[in-house]
Amino acid sequence: MKQLSFLCFLIFVLASTKGQVAQQDTARVFQLIEAANEKQQQGLADAAERDFRKAGELAKRLNFDRGLLMFAGYYCVFLYHQIRYEEAMTMAELQLEVSERIGDKQRIGYAYNNISLQHQAQGKLQQAAESLMKALEISSEIESPTPRDLSDRRKYYNNLSSLLLDMNDLKKGKEYAVKALEIAEQLQDTLAIGWSLINLLVAEAMAGELADAEKHGMQLLAVGQSQGDAEMELKAYNNLGDIYRMQKRYPLALETFKKAQRLLAKAPPGNEVYILMGISSVYNGMKQYGQANTYFDRARMLAERELAKPQLIELYLSGAEIKEAMGNYKEALALRKQYEQINDSLRNQETHNAIQELEVKYQTSEKEKALAERDLQISKQRGELERKNKWVILSVSLVAISVLLWVFNRLISRQKRKTEATEQANRLLEAQLRGEEKERARTARELHDGVASILSAAKLHINARPGGDTKTDLLVGQLIETAVQEIRNLSHNLAPERVLNDGFEQAVQEFCRRVNHPGLQLECYVAGVLPKLDKDAELLLYRIIQEAVTNIVKHAEATEGIVQLVGDGPRLSITIEDNGRGFEPDASKSTGLGLKNLASRIQLLKGSHEVRSAPGKGTSIYIEIDAATAMQLTDTGLETHFSG
């Protein structure tokens, strides 16, 4: 019996010892992470990384999810500041995996926010927006947010502001920067106020609101100095220097950038390049191109190693201007091409529309949630009032009032559902129409930028040749002729005056005559009397035909084509055919942007269409529109977006 008691005691001691060791090991994970963070703040990056890695390895060995989660989050931030975005993405994905496994919704939001930052740094703006919206949705689901929850939401709003500014959407970027600042002020968090001010003043500077931007820049500087935050103080000087440059206060701008330089040793990596870019831009504004070029070359060496894609756009554009001013036309052309390549990849209309749609969906859900909370509060107040007064209400009156309330609530609920459905449809339609309007603006910019690039190339060829050269003169002539032709074609394609003034039928016939050339015989036939349509509907149909014919010219390799318009009472039938190489309609549904655009425009007019094609057998597009439906649609407000 004594032996058995001793054995039980021994087992208890061993179990207790094992538990104490496990607790010491898990505590060691947190100690290593804390030590790594302290070393990071001291600028000891290598030592900090060693401690981070030790913490991660120990957490994995112990299967300690909480420790692994904390390691992944802090190490992700460390790697992001070290400009190591791919490794940071791996940590953010690990953070998401672990937080989902243990069901920690708050840290799921943190993970999506970190994933968004890595996507944004790599120029994948649509993926960045999708991840950030998930973080915001998680934050908005919290019914009674704590100060910590509000702080998270402020951070997400600030990051969304930065993302929209990268897309050059200044209005929305400023809107979310203001929301972030309002939360920071509500929390009375001085550092958060400072970080929120950065995006706000950048949005104002980009919009040309320089007085407001300068005021907020000085406020940011005061916050950084009062809190002893060298990085924030440096960013304040950087932005103020750029504002002074835009105001043409060049000596003050240079002095301000020099102040930022003196803080570099105390700030994390990635800041020096912005100072060099700023100084280069100041000298460029002062027409001291030698100095500007020296600082640009230094900035470029750092930028291509340290900066994220969106931040390279302005550097390449400024560099092209400096190189051209110095007569280095070859390098100027190369920089201009790099600028256009990154600008097109980041700010294309499809990405902008996708991000705008995500933002509209989020705003809609926030409004619906606010309405639900208001209704709940109203119901609570009504119930309290009924409880206080029920002793004076007769039973018959109570029954009558209950019936009336039931009927009233049913009517209100039905009306509310109808109103919400109508508002949702209007929002979606408005977003789509805005996308069309912005697409027109983008095409107009292409008219300027495309032709400018060709003329710039011609200029570079002329300046680069040492003397008169027949071949060079011929090439220059061809480039200029190409530019003139591009101006003429794009101007005709953009201008809606012919449709608005001469009528739909004449505009289509004139367009077909203009497209005709020796390699493509395009005929236009009109049968019957075309139904009378609203000018905006006619313009939209003209754009549909224009896009279909453009596809024939660009992609079909056809020699013959027809555009046929047939009027039959209120119905208008349009047939567009070619004898080109054709394609597989089923295969192109998922990848063909042109067909998607065509289908969405026809849908706006409540029309129908059919595409028939096969490889080697040409293509036929049949469209049918009902005039009454199209007129009804334009009466809902289409004209404000499609008028010339």
Side-chain angles (χ1 to χ4, degrees), residues 539-569:
L539 179 56
L540 188 53
L541 283 172
Y542 177 78
R543 295 298 186 202
I544 291 169
I545 294 171
Q546 190 180 58
E547 182 162 354
V549 172
T550 301
N551 284 339
I552 294 175
V553 174
K554 287 185 176 180
H555 309 298
E557 299 178 4
T559 58
E560 295 180 359
I562 66 167
V563 175
Q564 181 174 283
L565 311 177
V566 178
D568 181 14

Side-chain angles (χ1 to χ4, degrees), residues 319-592:
E321 294 173 355
I322 293 169
K323 297 294 183 183
E324 185 174 355
M326 295 189 67
N328 191 344
Y329 302 110
K330 182 177 180 181
E331 195 168 353
L333 181 59
L335 287 166
R336 170 70 69 167
K337 287 180 178 178
Q338 287 179 290
Y339 159 75
E340 290 175 352
Q341 181 181 4
I342 296 178
N343 191 51
D344 290 343
S345 68
L346 291 180
R347 296 174 178 172
N348 68 77
Q349 192 62 40
E350 185 177 359
T351 300
H352 201 165
N353 288 347
I355 293 177
Q356 189 177 61
E357 184 177 348
L358 287 169
E359 193 265 340
V360 167
K361 287 180 179 178
Y362 170 70
Q363 289 284 12
T364 302
S365 67
E366 284 288 278
K367 290 176 182 176
E368 289 174 349
K369 179 187 172 187
L371 287 173
E373 290 175 349
R374 187 196 65 184
D375 291 345
L376 179 61
Q377 186 63 29
I378 290 173
S379 297
K380 288 180 178 178
Q381 291 173 352
R382 183 180 296 151
E384 184 65 27
L385 182 62
E386 288 175 356
R387 283 192 295 273
K388 287 181 179 179
N389 297 312
K390 65 182 178 180
W391 62 273
V392 295
I393 301 175
L394 298 173
S395 58
V396 176
S397 301
L398 181 61
V399 171
I401 291 172
S402 299
V403 172
L404 288 173
L405 285 174
W406 179 79
V407 173
F408 180 74
N409 284 335
R410 285 290 299 272
L411 291 174
I412 290 295
S413 298
R414 186 181 303 168
Q415 184 62 36
K416 186 187 295 183
R417 286 195 295 271
K418 288 181 180 179
T419 302
E420 288 175 351
T422 302
E423 289 176 352
Q424 177 70 359
N426 287 341
R427 280 193 293 269
L428 292 175
L429 178 60
E430 184 180 354
Q432 192 169 5
L433 295 179
R434 279 201 304 268
E436 289 280 349
E437 191 67 20
K438 290 183 179 179
E439 175 65 17
R440 302 268 289 281
R442 185 185 67 82
T443 306
R445 287 196 300 273
E446 286 181 358
L447 172 63
H448 176 271
D449 293 342
V451 174
S453 295
I454 294 172
L455 293 175
S456 179
K459 177 185 174 183
L460 291 171
H461 277 293
I462 292 173
N463 289 328
R465 65 192 180 96
D469 188 337
T470 303
K471 291 183 179 179
T472 302
D473 292 343
L474 179 59
L475 177 58
V476 170
Q478 291 172 345
L479 287 169
I480 295 174
E481 181 59 27
T482 301
V484 172
Q485 187 61 38
E486 186 172 346
I487 292 173
R488 184 179 298 113
N489 290 339
L490 288 174
S491 297
H492 279 299
N493 289 341
L494 282 172
E497 286 83 3
R498 185 170 296 279
V499 179
L500 298 175
N501 298 331
D502 299 343
F504 173 66
E505 180 180 332
Q506 289 78 6
V508 172
Q509 290 176 335
E510 175 60 23
F511 172 69
C512 292
R513 282 195 295 271
R514 195 165 63 246
V515 170
N516 243 322
H517 61 81
L520 174 63
Q521 189 66 30
L522 182 66
E523 299 291 340
C524 179
Y525 301 101
V526 180
V529 178
L530 303 188
K532 183 64 177 176
L533 293 170
D534 184 273
K535 287 295 183 184
D536 300 304
E538 289 182 346
L539 179 56
L540 188 53
L541 283 172
Y542 177 78
R543 295 298 186 202
I544 291 169
I545 294 171
Q546 190 180 58
E547 182 162 354
V549 172
T550 301
N551 284 339
I552 294 175
V553 174
K554 287 185 176 180
H555 309 298
E557 299 178 4
T559 58
E560 295 180 359
I562 66 167
V563 175
Q564 181 174 283
L565 311 177
V566 178
D568 181 14
R571 287 196 302 274
L572 171 62
S573 302
I574 303 172
T575 303
I576 305 160
E577 292 183 345
D578 67 76
N579 66 344
R581 61 181 184 178
F583 60 93
E584 288 287 353
D586 292 337
S588 67
K589 284 181 181 178
S590 61
T591 59

Side-chain angles (χ1 to χ4, degrees), residues 611-629:
V611 179
R612 294 180 181 177
S613 185
K617 296 186 178 181
T619 302
S620 175
I621 301 175
Y622 177 77
I623 302 167
E624 187 170 295
I625 301 294
D626 184 88
T629 305

